[in-house]
Amino acid sequence: MQYRTLGRTGVQVSSLALGAMNFGRIGRTTQDEATAVVDAALEGGINLIDTADMYGGGESEEMVGKAIAGRRDDIVLATKAGLPMGDDPNHRGSSRRWLVTELDNSLRRLGVDHVDLYQIHRWDPETSDEETLSALTDLQRAGKIRYFGSSTFPAHRVVQAQWAAREHRLGRYVTEQPSYSILQRGVEAHVLPVTEEYGLGVLVWSPLASGWLSGAVRAGREITTSRSAAMPQRFDLSVPSNRARLDAVERLAVVADEAGLTLIQLALGFVTAHPAVTSALVGPRTTDHLNAQLAAADTVLSADVLDAIDAIVAPGTDLAAHEKFDTPPALLDPALRRR
């Protein structure tokens, strides 16, 4: 396992990190299974675990808390807040009112007195940067969080938040967590240059592209992954973007085979090769899944392999742009771009 500095914090984190979204009802994972995955991850050299309040309605945090009991100090623990936690309109977003309340809820579920990294799950257009950063700065000074970061922010909002922190003399985001994979490379054109400019640590999610790069989705096979069952439209081969992804996967499989790698090793080796990326988040449901992903921990792709990937999916290209979560609202709502 490789270890890298998380932005400018000085904290050393593993190049592969454990994402806990599949713990609980989302991945149909029991506590024993979740604990086994955490055990195997730590044994494999992973030292960063990332979860969120809304994963399973808090269930993931509870499972992570039980799995790490007695070894909290060995783990860089990250969680997130901001997405809805129920129907109440104030049980979401990044207002001071909600973040102060929800951090305490997360700490209770995790069974800890602090988290190392607290992330705003999505940019909240209803709340000013000053409001959010002020609350996070106070929570940091209270010792409840060590650092704070953003997740899936558009590049211009990452810049705006850095400016607001300086303007109002508040703590700043030290990390960003974008979606990034061989099939979704748009962040290379905007988000990653910004994170490099500001020295942010980058924890990328969905490096296996929701299972497209796991080896389970291949031409001529029935697609039976858990993600395809939950989101069938993303795997419907009558959709042009999905056909483009399948074509890319078939060509990438040839590149991987010629390099003596699995498709998973190719995919994870690709994202961790980018100089802006600190860690790739893997989200296994089982220890078998994790072991297949840990096999990529020391994968270093040659220039020839990286060039071959570029020839299949061009740098800065998203094969399914409509699935992006960091798209500026005006590109999605015509009313926002018309007088």
Side-chain angles (χ1 to χ4, degrees), residues 268-338:
L268 295 178
F270 168 80
V271 295
T272 56
H274 196 292
V277 172
T278 311
S279 301
L281 289 160
V282 296
R285 291 190 300 109
T286 67
T287 53
D288 286 342
H289 291 165
L290 175 64
N291 290 333
Q293 295 156 0
L294 283 174
D298 296 316
T299 298
V300 177
L301 303 184
S302 69
D304 288 346
V305 170
L306 291 170
D307 288 345
I309 292 172
D310 287 349
I312 296 169
V313 181
T317 300
D318 290 317
L319 294 189
H322 60 287
E323 293 180 6
K324 297 291 287 184
F325 290 91
D326 61 353
T327 303
L331 297 184
L332 302 175
D333 183 354
L336 298 178
R337 58 178 186 265
R338 298 172 185 172

Side-chain angles (χ1 to χ4, degrees), residues 49-218:
I49 298 178
D50 177 82
T51 184
D53 58 351
M54 58 82 65
Y55 293 163
E59 191 176 18
S60 173
E61 286 184 326
E62 293 174 353
M63 286 187 165
V64 168
K66 292 175 182 177
I68 68 172
R71 46 189 176 182
R72 166 68 182 88
D73 292 341
D74 299 329
I75 295 162
V76 178
L77 182 61
T79 193
K80 300 181 285 292
L83 292 181
M85 287 293 287
D87 295 331
D88 189 308
N90 286 314
H91 288 184
R92 67 191 69 190
S94 56
S95 69
R96 172 182 289 271
R97 181 181 188 272
W98 177 237
L99 292 179
V100 170
T101 297
E102 186 60 357
L103 176 59
D104 282 341
N105 290 337
S106 287
L107 294 177
R108 172 180 49 79
R109 288 188 290 261
L110 288 162
V112 299
D113 62 3
H114 74 280
V115 293
D116 297 296
L117 179 63
Y118 198 49
Q119 301 155 103
I120 302 302
H121 212 151
R122 295 288 187 273
W123 169 53
D124 175 11
E126 304 298 325
T127 307
S128 70
D129 289 304
E130 181 183 3
E131 164 85 1
T132 301
L133 293 171
S134 175
L136 292 170
T137 300
D138 287 347
L139 291 170
Q140 185 180 50
R141 289 171 178 166
K144 293 184 176 183
I145 59 178
R146 297 294 185 256
Y147 307 98
F148 47 90
S150 58
S151 176
T152 323
F153 274 33
H156 72 283
R157 297 311 313 179
V158 176
V159 173
Q160 178 65 20
Q162 294 291 315
W163 177 88
R166 178 183 296 181
E167 177 74 7
H168 300 291
R169 299 186 178 184
L170 298 168
R172 71 184 190 102
Y173 295 128
V174 300
T175 60
E176 162 59 15
Q177 188 178 134
S179 173
Y180 180 42
S181 72
I182 294 175
L183 304 183
Q184 296 285 79
R185 300 183 61 174
V187 292
E188 294 173 343
H190 42 85
V191 173
L192 295 186
V194 167
T195 63
E196 288 185 287
E197 176 71 21
Y198 288 100
L200 304 184
V202 174
L203 311 172
V204 302
W205 59 271
S206 200
L208 299 182
S210 298
W212 279 96
L213 297 172
S214 68
V217 180
R218 297 296 303 275

